[in-house]
Amino acid sequence: MAPRAKFTGTGMFVPDRVVTNDDLTKLMDTSDEWIRQRSGVVERRYIEEGQAPADLAQKASERALEAAGLEPADLDFIVLATLSAHADFPGTAFFLHELLGVPEIPCFDLRAQCSGFVYSLGVAKSMIEARQCRRVLVVGCEVHSTGLDLSDRGRDVAVLFGDGAGAVVLEANENAADTAGLLAVRLHAEGRYAKKLWIEAPGSGFTPVRLTHEMLDQGRHFPRMEGRFVFKHAVKRMPEVLLETLDAAGLKLQDVDLFLFHQANLRINEYVAQQLEIPADKCLHNIQRYGNCSAASIPMLLDEAVREGLLRPGRLVSMTTFGSGFSWSSAVARW
Ligand SMILES: CC(C)(COP(=O)(O)OP(=O)(O)OC[C@H]1O[C@@H](n2cnc3c(N)ncnc32)[C@H](O)[C@@H]1OP(=O)(O)O)[C@@H](O)C(=O)NCCC(=O)NCCS
């Protein structure tokens, strides 16, 4: 029988700097009321000067390793999901590789935006089940704050996002009597909507150069989003893929103990839960405190769930995402 990919450790890290909605009103024409009502966000964290994405990823990873009772040298593979990489190349995973001091194991960044962490779980699961590796570190890490348009022009997007990192260790579980592990993962994409939520510059799609002063003046290096369009697709795709994944695992909605949704907007998640008749006490959110941390949102939630005692051995957890691409995904695991 193929081994199962079992979660053996979780960790998260957010910078100390708290930025409240009121703080943002000093930079742009917005209000605490507007932000809370539309998105649920109350505050978020921003990095301080000198902090880089890999620093956040390192702290989250070290906590996950400690929880798993492992050393960096025990790992044999690292997948890091991000849309706000440390550099154009190489991936943030390589900077993390150095900071962790792991041996010459492979690592790479996976780019599937807010669905990146669950996509990475899918990769790790396949690698473990195919016996390509036994101990995988999966990280979600974002530094959005340095890439937001914190003026009136970018206010629709800027108020939603924050910085943070989350990490998990997945290990091969060969014990047939132990049913813990990832039971099913389902991934989807619809590239025709790639430009509905994106940062276009700098990009190799531009000739003769990737970035010009004119593009900077036009703010084309900042994220742009058709908010309502994204909202409509998110509330359709998230229930679809959640049910598809449970079905693939032979489970029903009622079997699941905890639902984790990507933290893009509390209203999206409440709408999804309502459509599926999921009781509010089975859902955990942290968007109020951290905003949308894209690929880091789900692993941060997983770590909080473990620390709050919501994920004890035997419990079933469902994780569902929607994001730029468009990309959407879901995973279900027995803890
Ligand atoms: C972004 C979002 C919160 C905006 O809410 P909305 O109800 O759709 O709001 P709209 O974009 O229609 O804007 C409504 C008004 O608020 C204004 N507004 C936009 N951002 C604002 C801000 N930060 N503060 C105050 N007003 C703002 C708009 O200019 C608009 O004004 P107008 O009516 O005078 O034109 C919502 O569309 C959303 O959450 N979409 C999905 C986001 C998402 O999931 N993204 C990430 C996926 S990873």
Side-chain angles (χ1 to χ4, degrees):
M1 200 188 81
R4 288 176 199 277
K6 177 177 177 174
F7 290 88
T8 58
T10 63
M12 67 170 275
F13 179 78
V14 288
D16 290 337
R17 189 173 149 212
V18 177
V19 177
T20 64
N21 292 343
D22 282 335
D23 291 333
L24 294 181
T25 62
K26 290 165 199 144
L27 303 170
M28 62 186 82
D29 180 15
T30 189
S31 67
D32 177 50
E33 195 199 355
W34 193 96
I35 302 171
R36 273 184 207 233
Q37 250 179 25
R38 305 285 172 132
S39 71
V41 182
V42 177
E43 59 186 40
R44 72 287 290 143
R45 304 296 181 97
Y46 283 2
I47 55 160
E48 319 232 25
E49 216 178 317
Q51 275 182 316
D55 300 324
L56 311 191
Q58 178 193 8
K59 295 214 169 63
S61 301
E62 286 173 349
R63 289 173 184 177
L65 284 165
E66 193 188 335
L70 297 178
E71 298 293 329
D74 297 322
L75 292 172
D76 49 26
F77 194 59
I78 300 174
V79 189
L80 185 146
T82 190
L83 66 79
S84 53
H86 192 107
D88 233 20
F89 73 85
T92 302
F94 293 83
F95 296 96
L96 174 65
H97 195 282
E98 182 193 4
L99 292 176
L100 288 177
V102 290
E104 292 154 7
I105 60 167
C107 67
F108 65 85
D109 280 14
L110 188 148
R111 294 179 55 176
Q113 303 67 251
C114 297
S115 299
F117 179 77
V118 171
Y119 264 62
S120 300
L121 290 183
V123 171
K125 177 178 185 286
S126 303
M127 298 281 286
I128 287 174
E129 290 176 356
R131 298 182 201 278
Q132 295 290 306
C133 49
R134 297 189 54 79
R135 289 171 175 156
V136 187
L137 177 68
V138 183
V139 187
C141 173
E142 304 290 0
V143 170
H144 287 307
S145 59
T146 51
L148 297 172
D149 183 354
L150 294 166
S151 72
D152 288 356
R153 182 179 60 183
R155 64 180 183 166
D156 59 325
V157 178
V159 299
L160 303 174
F161 289 91
D163 301 342
V168 301
V169 175
L170 285 171
E171 291 188 66
N173 172 8
E174 303 266 9
N175 178 357
D178 179 1
T179 55
L182 273 166
L183 305 177
V185 180
R186 289 291 180 272
L187 314 174
H188 291 283
E190 198 168 19
R192 67 181 159 142
Y193 298 133
K195 296 181 182 177
K196 297 289 184 185
L197 171 51
W198 71 321
I199 298 180
E200 58 172 331
S204 310
F206 291 108
T207 46
V209 284
R210 295 171 184 185
L211 186 65
T212 61
H213 290 288
E214 195 190 0
M215 286 181 205
L216 285 172
D217 293 341
Q218 292 166 344
R220 293 167 78 179
H221 57 301
F222 290 127
R224 283 210 309 271
M225 171 173 76
E226 282 185 34
R228 292 205 168 187
F229 191 86
V230 176
F231 196 108
K232 267 193 231 152
H233 283 255
V235 296
K236 174 170 182 282
R237 296 308 194 178
M238 290 173 78
E240 261 176 31
V241 70
L242 191 159
L243 293 176
E244 178 195 348
T245 309
L246 291 186
D247 194 47
L251 294 166
K252 296 196 171 53
L253 266 173
Q254 296 74 13
D255 298 327
V256 177
D257 298 293
L258 184 66
F259 292 87
L260 306 179
F261 298 112
H262 172 52
Q263 302 291 292
N265 186 321
L266 198 56
R267 307 290 159 250
I268 291 178
N269 295 349
E270 286 170 349
Y271 192 83
V272 170
Q274 197 188 345
Q275 274 180 291
L276 294 173
E277 296 179 23
I278 296 170
D281 63 359
K282 280 194 170 188
C283 304
L284 184 68
H285 302 288
N286 62 16
I287 187 170
Q288 301 92 330
R289 283 171 286 131
Y290 304 126
N292 181 350
C293 295
S294 298
S297 287
I298 295 269
M300 284 164 61
L301 275 176
L302 275 175
D303 186 55
E304 292 196 324
V306 170
R307 282 189 286 125
E308 287 175 28
L310 299 172
L311 277 178
R312 297 187 290 278
R315 289 206 152 190
L316 281 172
V317 56
S318 157
M319 302 159 250
T320 303
T321 70
F322 185 87
S324 155
F326 288 160
S327 59
W328 62 103
S329 63
S330 188
V332 62
R334 192 181 307 280
W335 210 254

